[in-house]
Amino acid sequence: MAFRALWRASSKLATAAVVVGCGTYGVALATTQDPYKAFKISTAVPVRLFRNTYTAAIIAFDYEYSLLGLPEGSPEKLKVKHEVHTRCARRLQELCFRNGGIYIKLGQHISQLEYLIPVEYVQTMRASMLNRCPVSTYDQVCEVFMNELGMMPHEAFAEFDPVPLASASLAQVHAARIHDGRKVAIKVQHTHMTDTATVDSATVGLIVNAMHWLFPSFDYRWLVEEINESLPKELDFLCEAKNSEKCLDNFRRSSPHLADYVYAPQVYWGLSSSKLLTMEFIDGAEITNLNSIQRLGIQPRDVSKLVTQTFAEMMFKHGFVHCDPHAANLLVRPLPTGKQSILGKKKPQLILLDHGLYKELDFPTRTHYAALWKALIFADEKAIKENSVKLGAGEDLYALFAGILTMRPWNRVIDPSVDHLVIQGKEEDRSELQLYASQYFPQISELLRRLPPVILLMLKTNDCLRAVNNSLLQGSSLESFLIIGRISAEAVTEIKMKQKKSFWSSLSILLEEILLEVRLLGMQIAVWLLQFRRALSN
């Protein structure tokens, strides 16, 4: 009986996929003016549609059949569920690699959603998605140059290396020299991205929606919606170039104390288009390469502090946030001015790459998000609840929201101790978090459905930054949380001062800020004492 029900469900999924997929396929063919592109769509889409449908049906069948009749919460069910998650994650991984295009982007997005989806999926995608991106041939690169600039690479540049330096899901990067001898990096979009992007988006959305219809607890429609919104912007490299300039302008205007420490490559507008981006070539160490950073005379701890400061300023003060800060998109080099720290170490400069994915936080969202992080750092339970509810978590899921933001269970979130949010990196900490996520999986799905899309991107950004800082420091740092506490508190104070209604309200805000500074100083002293004790014990 169960087999028949699952077979009927899989048949419905297949039928729906064929109907909607063929409709989208027909629209794509009808709207394209390029015969070659039409041919590629006509040959690629049916194959991808079949793969999607088959993989989704197999995954759905595996979950339902393997877990059928097992008691909820039993050790046997937990063991089988882990095995099913692992099998299905590999199936999804294989689907992403075989289809390419936006499927690689989807897999990369999944790999950065630690503890928001089963850990087996995160680990499987993270192990491969950044290392097995497609590579366009030199002929395909030349095709993009002719379409965008009307000339071949060797005509546009004095030198052009046909072997890419790196390849990502949407594009690959080549080194070149312009005619005055300056070295540049050229980002060239993969030709297949725009050929089938519309149809791929529609079929991915169809499969996810169909899976949710068949199995209501499977609800990742928000992920598809986010990709559908962000992908067109990421495919427009002129938009990316404008984002990079706006980002630096924000630091010059709103965070001048950091303006020299944050940099993005200069754009050569005359040699750029929506699918071709020519930028200044910058030598630097990848943000998680500790040996390279130390060879440059820079302390990894200083880099971690700069990364935290940079993104805290973006989130809480600028409201314009780079939402893809994974290791490949962040470089570090010595500050060009040659400034050094008190200990004689070179000060770092953070280089931000890949500005395709930015999000703007409107004033109310930025206000509540800054106030929420301030409350989290200072374990203010009332303010945590108030601002979580205002951001959409609701009266029932605010504690879960706080747990996802900090990766700590609620009893640790509201613990008044100085290091209450620090994850020591121990195996028991990680196991606790995984158990926490697994235990509240339905509630997490509901929370993600409620939260505004921009906050979902902030969760992803937090996950990326957490991974970077963990690599730099081999664990989380209390100093990072103090920086977040200070900048979020400054942002809240600035907002309150703009809204002040009288002299007395301004005075009250200033007194509150003084008390906060005293508290932060006390926490900083506690950090120094902890570091001193650890140094003595070692």
Side-chain angles (χ1 to χ4, degrees):
M1 184 69 105
F3 179 83
R4 288 177 184 172
L6 287 167
W7 177 255
R8 284 196 297 271
S10 300
S11 299
K12 287 179 183 178
L13 176 61
T15 303
V18 170
V19 171
V20 178
C22 287
T24 311
Y25 162 58
V27 170
L29 280 176
T31 54
T32 183
Q33 302 296 317
D34 184 347
Y36 178 60
K37 182 176 176 180
F39 172 74
K40 285 201 282 188
I41 291 174
S42 66
T43 53
V45 172
V47 175
R48 294 184 185 197
L49 185 60
F50 173 78
R51 287 192 197 123
N52 287 357
T53 308
Y54 176 78
T55 302
I58 290 294
I59 289 174
F61 183 85
D62 197 353
Y63 272 102
E64 288 297 308
Y65 183 75
S66 300
L67 300 175
L68 193 65
L70 296 178
E72 190 63 42
S74 66
E76 184 183 2
K77 183 164 187 176
L78 292 175
K79 177 176 178 292
V80 172
K81 186 182 286 188
H82 167 71
E83 293 169 351
V84 176
H85 282 333
T86 302
R87 284 197 302 269
C88 293
R90 288 173 182 158
R91 290 180 183 124
L92 185 58
Q93 175 196 52
E94 183 61 23
L95 177 71
C96 291
F97 284 137
R98 295 187 68 184
N99 280 350
I102 71 165
Y103 293 85
I104 298 289
K105 195 71 180 175
L106 177 66
Q108 290 177 345
H109 201 121
I110 290 171
S111 75
Q112 294 166 345
L113 296 173
E114 193 169 12
Y115 309 119
L116 299 185
I117 63 173
V119 68
E120 292 83 359
Y121 284 84
V122 171
Q123 291 175 345
T124 300
M125 298 299 175
R126 186 173 289 174
S128 58
M129 283 296 158
L130 291 175
N131 302 322
R132 287 180 56 184
C133 290
V135 178
S136 295
T137 65
Y138 183 61
D139 287 341
Q140 290 172 322
V141 170
C142 291
E143 178 188 337
V144 175
F145 266 83
M146 288 302 297
N147 289 338
E148 299 302 308
L149 300 182
M151 62 183 87
M152 296 290 280
H154 65 271
E155 297 172 313
F157 298 95
E159 297 176 18
F160 183 87
D161 189 347
V163 180
L165 293 170
S167 184
S169 57
L170 305 185
Q172 61 192 45
V173 178
H174 292 260
R177 289 190 186 275
I178 56 178
H179 291 288
D180 66 4
R182 283 178 289 176
K183 192 174 182 181
V184 294
I186 306 160
K187 187 173 179 179
V188 184
Q189 193 170 121
H190 295 308
T191 55
H192 64 266
M193 281 306 305
T194 48
D195 290 340
T196 58
T198 302
V199 182
D200 283 347
S201 297
T203 51
V204 168
L206 164 72
I207 296 298
V208 172
N209 277 285
M211 291 290 285
H212 175 64
W213 174 57
L214 293 170
F215 310 104
S217 62
F218 180 96
D219 191 2
Y220 286 97
R221 292 172 294 175
W222 57 271
L223 181 56
V224 176
E225 289 168 4
E226 174 51 41
I227 288 176
N228 287 342
E229 181 188 344
S230 63
L231 187 64
K233 297 175 185 176
E234 292 187 79
L235 290 172
D236 183 354
F237 290 171
L238 292 179
C239 178
E240 175 179 343
K242 292 173 185 174
N243 286 342
S244 69
E245 293 194 341
K246 181 176 178 179
C247 171
L248 293 186
D249 186 56
N250 283 342
F251 277 98
R252 284 190 289 267
R253 289 187 299 104
S254 302
S255 309
H257 58 289
L258 277 182
D260 290 339
Y261 296 88
V262 181
Y263 191 72
Q266 174 192 347
V267 175
Y268 291 83
W269 290 95
L271 292 169
S272 299
S273 73
S274 62
K275 297 178 177 59
L276 195 75
L277 184 59
T278 303
M279 303 163 286
E280 169 188 7
F281 188 96
I282 294 181
D283 280 313
E286 189 173 292
I287 198 77
T288 54
N289 191 329
L290 299 186
N291 290 333
S292 295
I293 290 172
Q294 289 168 336
R295 279 198 297 270
L296 292 173
I298 298 171
Q299 288 278 63
R301 183 170 295 278
D302 291 338
V303 178
S304 172
K305 289 166 61 177
L306 178 56
V307 170
T308 303
Q309 286 177 303
T310 298
F311 282 87
E313 295 276 340
M314 284 189 195
M315 291 178 187
F316 307 135
K317 294 186 177 181
H318 306 171
F320 186 66
V321 186
H322 186 310
C323 290
D324 203 14
H326 61 72
N329 288 339
L330 302 176
L331 299 178
V332 63
R333 68 179 180 182
L335 192 65
T337 59
K339 285 185 180 179
Q340 295 185 343
S341 66
I342 298 174
L343 299 177
K345 291 291 184 179
K346 293 179 181 177
K347 291 193 173 183
Q349 185 181 60
L350 181 66
I351 313 298
L352 303 176
L353 306 177
D354 195 349
H355 298 262
L357 184 57
Y358 270 75
K359 281 294 177 181
E360 293 200 49
L361 281 71
D362 60 42
F363 184 76
T365 302
R366 181 166 65 87
T367 300
H368 299 317
Y369 194 60
L372 173 58
W373 268 106
K374 175 186 172 184
L376 289 168
I377 300 302
F378 295 108
D380 184 342
E381 184 174 354
K382 180 181 176 183
I384 291 172
K385 179 178 180 180
E386 177 185 340
N387 289 286
S388 295
V389 170
K390 287 178 178 177
L391 287 169
E395 296 273 350
D396 54 335
L397 294 179
Y398 71 90
L400 180 62
F401 183 35
I404 288 175
L405 278 171
T406 60
M407 290 293 107
R408 305 303 284 144
W410 178 246
N411 65 315
R412 290 290 295 165
V413 170
I414 58 174
D415 188 326
S417 60
V418 174
D419 60 347
H420 67 121
L421 296 182
V422 175
I423 301 173
Q424 300 298 337
K426 298 175 183 176
E427 188 57 38
E428 54 265 32
D429 276 339
R430 183 164 293 275
S431 299
E432 179 185 18
L433 291 172
Q434 291 172 359
L435 179 63
Y436 188 68
S438 175
Q439 184 178 356
Y440 294 103
F441 182 74
Q443 292 91 334
I444 290 175
S445 295
E446 172 60 19
L447 175 64
L448 299 181
R449 187 191 65 78
R450 291 183 192 178
L451 293 173
V454 69
I455 295 299
L456 297 177
L457 260 292
M458 292 304 101
L459 294 177
K460 175 200 170 186
T461 303
N462 286 338
D463 283 343
C464 290
L465 295 173
R466 189 178 292 112
V468 167
N469 278 317
N470 283 347
S471 296
L472 286 166
L473 303 174
Q474 306 303 304
S476 64
S477 162
L478 182 51
E479 278 186 292
S480 296
F481 288 112
L482 290 181
I483 291 168
I484 293 170
R486 183 179 300 279
I487 296 174
S488 61
E490 288 173 358
V492 171
T493 300
E494 288 172 10
I495 291 165
K496 287 181 178 179
M497 290 298 287
K498 288 178 182 177
Q499 297 172 335
K500 67 183 185 299
K501 297 179 180 179
S502 68
F503 168 78
W504 295 110
S505 63
S506 299
L507 182 60
S508 174
I509 292 168
L510 288 173
L511 288 173
E512 181 183 333
E513 185 177 9
I514 291 170
L515 291 173
L516 189 64
E517 285 295 330
V518 171
R519 190 172 178 186
L520 281 167
L521 178 60
M523 293 172 74
Q524 184 65 68
I525 292 171
V527 170
W528 290 331
L529 289 173
L530 282 172
Q531 290 174 346
F532 183 67
R533 286 175 191 166
R534 286 172 188 163
L536 287 177
S537 64
N538 292 334

